[in-house]
Amino acid sequence: MLNLPIEYPSFYWSQTKTAIDLKVKDWIDQRIPTDEDALLKRQWDIVVMGAPLSRSSISASGASEFPEHFRKAWKGFSTYNIDTDQDLRDLRVLDFGDIEMHVTDINKCHSNIKMSMEGICKEYPNSIPFTIGGDHSITAMLVSGLKAAVPSREIGILQFDTHLDLRDLKDQGPSNGTPIRNLIENGIVKGSNVYNIGLHGFFNGPSLINYAKEQKVNYITLRQARTNGIIETVSKAIQELESKVDYIYLTIDMDVLDIAYAPGVPASTTGGMRTDELFDAVITAGRSSKIRAVDIVCLDPNRDSSALPTVKAGVHTFLSFLSGFLNKG
Amino acid sequence: MLNLPIEYPSFYWSQTKTAIDLKVKDWIDQRIPTDEDALLKRQWDIVVMGAPLSRSSISASGASEFPEHFRKAWKGFSTYNIDTDQDLRDLRVLDFGDIEMHVTDINKCHSNIKMSMEGICKEYPNSIPFTIGGDHSITAMLVSGLKAAVPSREIGILQFDTHLDLRDLKDQGPSNGTPIRNLIENGIVKGSNVYNIGLHGFFNGPSLINYAKEQKVNYITLRQARTNGIIETVSKAIQELESKVDYIYLTIDMDVLDIAYAPGVPASTTGGMRTDELFDAVITAGRSSKIRAVDIVCLDPNRDSSALPTVKAGVHTFLSFLSGFLNKG
Amino acid sequence: MLNLPIEYPSFYWSQTKTAIDLKVKDWIDQRIPTDEDALLKRQWDIVVMGAPLSRSSISASGASEFPEHFRKAWKGFSTYNIDTDQDLRDLRVLDFGDIEMHVTDINKCHSNIKMSMEGICKEYPNSIPFTIGGDHSITAMLVSGLKAAVPSREIGILQFDTHLDLRDLKDQGPSNGTPIRNLIENGIVKGSNVYNIGLHGFFNGPSLINYAKEQKVNYITLRQARTNGIIETVSKAIQELESKVDYIYLTIDMDVLDIAYAPGVPASTTGGMRTDELFDAVITAGRSSKIRAVDIVCLDPNRDSSALPTVKAGVHTFLSFLSGFLNKG
Amino acid sequence: MLNLPIEYPSFYWSQTKTAIDLKVKDWIDQRIPTDEDALLKRQWDIVVMGAPLSRSSISASGASEFPEHFRKAWKGFSTYNIDTDQDLRDLRVLDFGDIEMHVTDINKCHSNIKMSMEGICKEYPNSIPFTIGGDHSITAMLVSGLKAAVPSREIGILQFDTHLDLRDLKDQGPSNGTPIRNLIENGIVKGSNVYNIGLHGFFNGPSLINYAKEQKVNYITLRQARTNGIIETVSKAIQELESKVDYIYLTIDMDVLDIAYAPGVPASTTGGMRTDELFDAVITAGRSSKIRAVDIVCLDPNRDSSALPTVKAGVHTFLSFLSGFLNKG
Amino acid sequence: MLNLPIEYPSFYWSQTKTAIDLKVKDWIDQRIPTDEDALLKRQWDIVVMGAPLSRSSISASGASEFPEHFRKAWKGFSTYNIDTDQDLRDLRVLDFGDIEMHVTDINKCHSNIKMSMEGICKEYPNSIPFTIGGDHSITAMLVSGLKAAVPSREIGILQFDTHLDLRDLKDQGPSNGTPIRNLIENGIVKGSNVYNIGLHGFFNGPSLINYAKEQKVNYITLRQARTNGIIETVSKAIQELESKVDYIYLTIDMDVLDIAYAPGVPASTTGGMRTDELFDAVITAGRSSKIRAVDIVCLDPNRDSSALPTVKAGVHTFLSFLSGFLNKG
Amino acid sequence: MLNLPIEYPSFYWSQTKTAIDLKVKDWIDQRIPTDEDALLKRQWDIVVMGAPLSRSSISASGASEFPEHFRKAWKGFSTYNIDTDQDLRDLRVLDFGDIEMHVTDINKCHSNIKMSMEGICKEYPNSIPFTIGGDHSITAMLVSGLKAAVPSREIGILQFDTHLDLRDLKDQGPSNGTPIRNLIENGIVKGSNVYNIGLHGFFNGPSLINYAKEQKVNYITLRQARTNGIIETVSKAIQELESKVDYIYLTIDMDVLDIAYAPGVPASTTGGMRTDELFDAVITAGRSSKIRAVDIVCLDPNRDSSALPTVKAGVHTFLSFLSGFLNKG
Ligand SMILES: [Ca+2]
Ligand SMILES: [Ca+2]
Ligand SMILES: [Ca+2]
Ligand SMILES: [Ca+2]
Ligand SMILES: [Ca+2]
Ligand SMILES: [Ca+2]
Ligand SMILES: [Ca+2]
Ligand SMILES: [Ca+2]
Ligand SMILES: [Ca+2]
Ligand SMILES: [Ca+2]
Ligand SMILES: [Ca+2]
Ligand SMILES: [Ca+2]
């Protein structure tokens, strides 16, 4: 069972689970050879996988190093959220490890990602797979894997991004510029079931806009979202999605953030979202009972500044989702 | 014709103009020896000049390196603006190159700047010269050059800055602390036709305040602007200027921005403007039909952090102006 | 008289006091051997002390270097505040120097801090001691010193912080995680007279919350403060404190700021306060006539980025307090 | 003719060729559409190509950005070499541009590299192609391209590297860990005709050593080279190669340098070569009349420190080769 | 058994021990709760302990973070040493974890260090304890612990350092400026049995020189060592020590390195040792059969530059010792 | 008396002169208003002046900030030199302060420098003026000032530099590229009395070589100096100068150092001198009884990396000269 191309986590935290005050590192269970069978049989709310692939990025990217930095950063976070007066320890979270990657065969990487997602979704139908990228090319594979597990279900996408990710696959293949188009062209997701929030400025070309309009992709610029309220905008998108699809896939491209808050992405931009806005957006999304899977992508720790604002924002985004999820109706 | 002290751009982009999705680097024409005559005869909406001078700065500055970094950064920006659903390619923009500078003779630098501005204004009476500094001392020369080209017209100034730039020229000559006073004392611009928006905190001394009050310079602190709305504040200043002058000169000192958004200025300060506020301010200004010339100054790429937030903010400010300009009534 | 364990300031600025435009470095008096007696006899509004101790921090910290960086940064600030159109030179401020520290005996450091505070409070009953940390462990000593000077008075605390600082002293002694608990357990301050503003996210554990609730510590998260308005929240806390205590001690942990604004703290977090919010909060506090003493802590210049945003924010916070103080009813 | 998958250089320098003192940027000719035919017909000593590929690297790498940084850095170097009292302007050098790369199809990238090299070698049989990587995977393709152009000739390799690059292709495909093995397994180069100089420390595994011994690859550690003299060691290797092969291919992996001199490589190591040693080695190699082609690889400008020591070392290495070449017997 | 104040390692590597090519992370055994008893019974050549203490440093130091960075960096090193054609996997090495530290009680930290060392020495009389600091204050405790375990044996010290570490304990207690004096004054080690190699420049005061001369401490400046040869100098010191003592304790203060090679130490200096010199020195020392214990101290990862030259030099120093040790007569 | 355009030092160290172990900051006397007359009458071995001018640099430079950083860095150095077993406190050194500079009038800056040097030389005929630049343009003024003080004496120059500094003044005026030519053309120094040591690589153009040869300037490349020995090369130059001139002026351009050792210069180069070589060279020069004045130039602290290797190298160079001087025959 569970013969998936997934390696054990790159390292294990020494955990002390008995303290009143718990760090995230002491709370999340990690798949470990000696204890594997018992672990795999448990009921999990969330299954975390790393997808350390970024050689599929248009510009040079070290997003493949984020899963390891993500785990390292757990020690800076408590499980208790003072904003909501809740403790995440009530959730059961498993770190399953990292999907196996090949150095030069990007197709192999992509099929491993799809296969892993399909396997996890089948094995843990009541858990949310939360994938830590890697670049945005992985989302096409993850959603395809989900679809393969639940072929009869309609899937919608809620995307926070500075980009539409609708580039033509003929130009450069399944790169981090194409995942949404990839899914539309392959009939996995309808354009009208994609909601992109956070676009701004001079970072998308007309061909993408044309395609978005043709396919009825819903996109709301950051400016519009701020005018209507970030939380209200996300709530409305969720509501519309809930009325149209069975499952919502949430994909968070960390480059949606402003360069002042998140220098550690391959093509950081000025004029983007603030972290408090993103956290609000993600908490709101986490409350939807139709959210079926999540990913965080395009966070390159090699480009982060020395205080690691982007890596920390990545972990905080993950925990914000869990906070919303814990509050689910 | 056009025997001006301006050198060709330091480098040329290899351009591919046929793509649907166009980068700024593929769109802006650059003055080039082989094609010069034809180029110079065209009608241009915007003529860009570099003014690589910063040895006139009070504190050590590498703002002289901004024109080159400005051009390099074009490749990170599309011509299409998703916020306004407009494409800047409808504008005709020429990169004329950099004004010639002398290593040790600051007066010579200044007279080259004035002479270049006068020449461009006369040759291209329907184009907007957009100068890329360099430090703020260049503004006195640029406005003087404009005045020399249109001596009978009244010129007003809209300035975004953390400083009043009203220091006494007797103390340190025509440095980056004196341009506005320089223009007032030389009768080029009336104090009452200067509008400075963005002042804050502990970065101006009482002598400057006294002079500003004497000369009826209009200054609105960032705090006041936020209370009334940035866009509203700029609109009101523009309206007042439009009723009093023939031409508005827009000067943008990038040190108006907060240090979190723009570390790459010689004396970055805490408590300044956010980039989204500056972009709104500049778009608003760009819509005025009386804007006659623009500059961006005091951006020192050597001090920028490695993700280049300040350089990117500088280019985005330029493109924001063009977006407003494209919308001009 | 004044035989306190305080060393002269680490260096003296060459001052030119006659200029119209005064820098902070030219304004603040510094205790100096040749002039000491005359200086010490004057009436001071504010007495500044450095407390260069950070070996008492939970995580590695260079906050001990802040007093020196604080003084160095004075040359970047004018005494004139354009937001309030006031000049701080109307206040009399003395830089008393740095409290003596021991390399390996943290108790000795702490008793020197307490003794210095008590001495200054007795000698200058009408002055506000403003201590430049150092880490937050010093606050327990500073408030204890104040209490020793005015034993019959009730003292309350207004704290801006990302943390509750209520860790159990049994676990790690008088570290920077424990100062408020230290004061409560020693009967110096009642829990109900502590107001903590700025908490957010995943940076406090349940044991601290439990203790806070038991002791009726008042805490207002950043999210709540933003909902109600930062200024309104601080005003309300001040009002409540004024009705309950004789003296308010203001303690500002710079880690309350967001990592984008203040990377230079030992455990910088995403999701924190903006500098404009902190400055508003501090100005508001400065207006209370019951403020008796202030400190700024946990600013580690070694971790700051090269433009020194955090060090500058620290000085601006100090000056913001003085601006509020100058406006005191 | 010359229908090769090579794009024009990413940008062109504005050149002033008449000065007595010439910068490298003013000297090297760049392929440019308007002037292409005349240029391509000339006799060139050196033809420079960029190979901006690094998604084939084992660890995350931005070596794809080196060709652009390489060209930018030309403006910091004179053509005159004071050590040898020679002027490189006596050589004819063409910047042909960058080999076209695909975002997700690494095989396509590799075949473009091979095809470009074969084409250049055939078209310019008397010129030395000098390729600017990119990661070390390109060397397998470049040598294969050379072999395809001169199939009857025996080719040897002189390699400066911290690594043997003999990993098994079965494990990870044609990555930057495999180029030499790739060439040996494909019969392009005999193991005994490979000379690797610069190995040191703990950066190669036993499987590589075993393979090297089996295949009679010649490897000389840095320690051995220092004992015998760097110049002497390189001279001896060259001499042996000259007696065995028709052509020598020189490949310079910049990670051979010590981390103090070259932090800007994906896996910088302590204990490596100094730059003065590398320059001596390269000058010595440049003097051999059997050198037929050269590459510089694995220099990642994104990881360089802000003074750009590694990028500058890369350009200096290139110029050092030309200095040796100019002195060729 | 083994009830020592030592915590499990902060994290565990996922190990794959079957590969031909082994990384250090896959080779070193780590003490782990589930497997503890079996592990503790084995014969170990080397027992590694972290001593994460740096609050005892004169200047602010994050050397306490080195043990964790040390472990993280294992993945960049192979077990095979190409210089000596040896494989370290033939040695049995146990990572025992980190000695427990107290946040504010430095004496408690110090006694834990001493107790841990004594325990390990008694339990593993045939193993070499290799301690990863932490600052240099720990050496006094480690040598005292060793002495407590073997009270009748004469211990000598071989020290690589920029400093004499002979400051008076009366001035600042058992800080990182005092360990050697501490040991001499407590009769643990005779001054004449201390050999310090690497002193240079302006970083020691006359009082230390006087004390060194009084106590007959042997010190050889870097300049003298270079004149006589680094290896020869170390060999001679080792020989003299071997003739006088039973056991040699080797202590390596990483600040002996030049700032160009090791920026990541609290008080990095210009004019220091190169890494190749230090590695030679340490290999030479490792060959002595009288070496009984080793430490590496004063490496502050927070101050390292982004390529981590100092952290990598620290690990390489550790492996260099093991290489020498493997060659022991 | 001594009415020179020199300001007091920018700040004063709090000094404790009674300790056995003395820091440089506690030793060097600083000119201070209250104590000025007594100070100025004393006999000084060395008079230190800052010349904070770098707007005369070809490329953007913050070398004007070095005098302040130079003073700040004194606290990291002892007066005792362990290499020579000497204590610099036996020398009498005065920090006279900084020469007054003008923001926009470079000629005024230059004449202030010349006038200050002439005044100091006349007033202190037995002291060595040691000037802390600033950029290399100041050397022309300093030597001219010396010549004005001793018009009948022949002056020679010993220069450590990567550049010849023989650019034509007609091209760019008295910049940092011209000082030596300036002196030759003005008849202050004969070309044959100039010795430049340290040139290397591709950083000087043929026009400079031609001029050097015409004027019989002596230049020895770094490569030649290493072949003959750095100390031997400097000794020989000194000997030749001593036989030809009355006074030797030593000028040290910090860009002579390799970029690995000194990233903090405006145009740092690969292939330069190591710090140990420079210190040896400077100590050797310091021993000559004909050395009459010294400067250190072109050190830009704004470009230094965070551990400040270049600033520290600058101070160490200063102290190395004093060590040589103390040993003078
Ligand atoms: Ca995306
Ligand atoms: Ca994106
Ligand atoms: Ca300005
Ligand atoms: Ca300004
Ligand atoms: Ca706190
Ligand atoms: Ca805190
Ligand atoms: Ca290689
Ligand atoms: Ca390599
Ligand atoms: Ca030490
Ligand atoms: Ca030391
Ligand atoms: Ca020079
Ligand atoms: Ca130079």
Side-chain angles (χ1 to χ4, degrees), chain C residues 136 159 161 163 165 176 253:
Chain C
H136 222 157
Q159 177 182 11
D161 205 329
H163 307 96
D165 292 348
N176 66 337
D253 186 334

Side-chain angles (χ1 to χ4, degrees), chain B residues 124-156:
Chain B
Y124 299 103
N126 301 314
S127 309
I128 292 203
F130 200 118
T131 308
I132 306 301
D135 70 40
H136 222 157
S137 76
I138 67 171
T139 301
M141 298 303 117
L142 290 164
V143 179
S144 300
L146 169 59
K147 183 72 178 182
V150 293
S152 62
R153 303 303 177 94
E154 196 72 32
I155 300 173

Side-chain angles (χ1 to χ4, degrees), chain D residues 8-59:
Chain D
Y8 296 107
S10 53
F11 66 89
Y12 306 109
W13 284 108
S14 287
Q15 294 188 324
T16 322
K17 293 235 176 183
T18 55
I20 300 175
D21 295 336
L22 208 60
K23 294 286 183 189
V24 170
K25 81 170 185 70
D26 294 316
W27 156 56
I28 292 181
D29 286 291
Q30 296 188 279
R31 187 167 66 106
I32 194 167
T34 54
D35 197 24
E36 190 167 12
D37 287 342
L39 263 173
L40 294 189
K41 277 179 202 145
R42 284 200 233 155
Q43 297 287 340
W44 299 102
D45 294 303
I46 308 283
V47 175
V48 174
M49 290 186 291
L53 173 69
S54 53
R55 58 191 77 243
S56 36
S57 293
I58 297 169
S59 50

